[in-house]
Amino acid sequence: MKKISIIIPAYNEEESLPFLFERLNKLMEQVNNYEFEILFVNDGSKDKTVELIKKQREIDNRISYVDFARNFGKETAMIAGLDYATGDAAIFMDADLQDPPELIPELIKYWEEGYDDVYAKRKSRKGETFLKKFTSKMYYKVLQKLAGMEIQRDTGDFRLLDRRCINALRKLRESQRCTKSMFSWIGYKKKEVLYDRDPRVAGKTKWNYLKLVDLAIDGITSFTTSPLRLATYIGVPTFFLLFIYTIYVIIKCIVLKVAVQAFQAIILLILFFSGIQIILFGIIGEYLGRIFVETKHRPLYLVNEYNGVRETNEI
Ligand code: UDP
Ligand code: MG
């Protein structure tokens, strides 16, 4: 019997978990020709999330959990899930039931047809503000342009991955992760499944706009260095303009015998170009920051315990 690991990152999800267990149980009753592993990654929750998971594990041994030493963020929780998953395929799912488990049989169906990466694409996004929908749409557009690679729009992390995709993703160990672009990067045979994204069943979203902006910048800088090229695109024409303008001013001074006077113009020019420089330094700083973080070669996450076994960090 083939085994499917359902990976669920959970951060302060005590309110959603009872609903989640119920829906998953229903699913596993229906789909009984597969072995299931429900792998929770407790991302340093401050509430009773891990206690609830442990309690459920006592009555259902299909439940496993990785308990992080602190909150490392969802992207990191996902790679930990892939590291610990034992299945022939893995499915990423949110703990808040925004990704309906009822879609899983369809994902499995396409996997059996030979697809490696079956991803669920949102038809609608109930319970999300207009602003969130709009910014998300714009972000995908920009990312796609910059990356020069097809990136699935309106697609979250809800997807099924074949073992070879799991192994491929496990090789990508950068610490500032943008899993969404990694799914595109690995390639393999992809299949789209449409679904309606539900509102959160309970609890509050952990995202705020600042976090989303962070994620967006990480997404772009982790994927492409083309913003760095902006320096060239702006810098070279600027140099030519300056060169021509300087010649023009010198010739004008000699021929018409007038003094260069326009100090206002100079001030404006200085402001303009220092502005450009600051922006470009900012972009370079982004990449420098990434290099700094990556060169530390720290482990991506630290585990407190796995299925009740204490992590000792012995080598
Ligand atoms: N999550 C996590 N670590 C975090 C934040 C969120 O593991 O630091 C989990 C969270 O428990 C949920 C999933 O990531 O299972 C999606 O989070 P959320 O529903 O808050 O995001 P949204 O659906 O609003 O984008
Ligand atoms: Mg959610």
Side-chain angles (χ1 to χ4, degrees):
M1 207 146 65
K2 286 185 190 165
K3 185 169 176 182
I4 292 174
S5 303
I6 301 181
I7 301 171
I8 308 176
Y11 176 54
N12 294 347
E13 297 285 2
E14 60 178 6
E15 288 168 75
S16 314
L17 285 182
F19 300 100
L20 180 66
F21 292 141
E22 198 189 301
R23 290 270 284 276
L24 282 176
N25 277 337
K26 235 184 252 164
L27 169 88
M28 291 188 292
E29 268 167 36
Q30 274 172 19
V31 189
N32 43 24
N33 42 349
Y34 289 94
E35 196 184 325
F36 279 100
E37 170 192 46
I38 313 281
L39 177 61
F40 284 96
V41 182
N42 176 41
D43 188 11
S45 301
K46 291 174 184 71
D47 62 1
K48 295 213 159 52
T49 299
V50 75
E51 282 83 357
L52 286 177
I53 295 170
K54 282 180 185 172
K55 221 192 233 159
Q56 191 71 11
R57 184 178 152 78
E58 277 166 25
I59 52 175
D60 187 348
N61 61 9
R62 291 173 296 191
I63 288 181
S64 289
Y65 66 92
V66 179
D67 184 28
F68 273 179
R70 64 167 170 88
N71 177 264
F72 281 95
K74 186 188 173 188
E75 302 281 325
T76 308
M78 286 167 68
I79 182 68
L82 293 177
D83 286 341
Y84 282 85
T86 56
D88 301 297
I91 295 172
F92 282 123
M93 220 177 86
D94 282 359
D96 57 7
L97 286 172
Q98 280 194 284
D99 310 322
E102 291 71 29
L103 200 71
I104 288 177
E106 206 181 330
L107 301 182
I108 296 174
K109 190 188 94 190
Y110 286 114
W111 175 52
E112 289 291 3
E113 284 179 14
Y115 291 99
D116 299 300
D117 178 0
V118 189
Y119 60 92
K121 183 173 167 159
R122 296 185 275 259
K123 267 191 293 188
S124 66
R125 309 174 115 195
K126 281 179 235 160
E128 288 187 9
T129 61
F130 169 76
L131 194 63
K132 186 166 179 187
K133 280 188 237 180
F134 179 74
T135 44
S136 144
K137 197 173 156 191
M138 293 313 290
Y139 174 63
Y140 277 114
K141 267 202 176 135
V142 172
L143 190 61
Q144 187 126 354
K145 270 260 157 61
L146 287 176
M149 196 184 294
E150 175 134 15
I151 291 171
Q152 291 90 39
R153 246 179 244 186
D154 277 329
T155 307
D157 302 314
F158 186 30
R159 60 175 72 217
L160 181 146
L161 297 162
D162 182 69
R163 179 39 76 178
R164 63 174 173 167
C165 293
I166 301 175
N167 293 343
L169 288 168
R170 289 185 60 199
K171 288 183 188 160
L172 311 183
R173 312 244 18 126
E174 56 249 55
S175 47
Q176 287 164 325
R177 309 182 66 78
C178 175
T179 314
K180 211 182 286 284
S181 53
M182 291 177 179
F183 292 137
S184 294
W185 189 87
I186 60 167
Y188 289 121
K189 245 176 110 184
K190 297 194 187 309
K191 176 76 190 168
E192 172 181 303
V193 173
L194 290 172
Y195 79 111
D196 286 307
R197 186 155 171 91
D198 295 325
R200 205 171 224 292
V201 55
K204 273 205 300 273
T205 175
K206 275 88 203 172
W207 290 107
N208 55 44
Y209 268 97
L210 207 60
K211 264 196 186 177
L212 280 179
V213 171
D214 278 349
L215 194 75
I217 293 178
D218 277 351
I220 290 170
T221 52
S222 74
F223 209 107
T224 158
T225 49
S226 58
L228 278 176
R229 198 155 301 153
L230 244 146
T232 319
Y233 286 153
I234 298 177
V236 171
T238 305
F239 175 76
F240 271 108
L241 270 177
L242 272 176
F243 188 67
I244 292 166
Y245 185 68
T246 313
I247 290 175
Y248 166 78
V249 168
I250 291 172
I251 290 176
K252 197 179 165 188
C253 286
I254 294 171
V255 174
L256 298 178
K257 294 195 166 63
V258 289
V260 189
Q261 239 187 13
F263 64 92
Q264 289 108 328
I266 293 173
I267 292 172
L268 281 175
L269 280 174
I270 291 173
L271 283 179
F272 179 64
F273 288 110
S274 57
I276 290 180
Q277 281 179 359
I278 293 167
I279 293 169
L280 294 179
F281 275 128
I283 294 174
I284 293 169
E286 282 290 328
Y287 287 97
L288 204 65
R290 298 193 74 82
I291 294 168
F292 170 68
V293 171
E294 297 304 337
T295 49
K296 285 199 263 189
H297 291 298
R298 292 199 180 170
L300 295 180
Y301 53 85
L302 292 175
V303 170
N304 176 40
E305 58 173 67
Y306 171 59
N307 285 345
V309 181
R310 238 173 82 96
E311 176 63 67
T312 55
N313 276 327
E314 274 168 43
I315 303 164

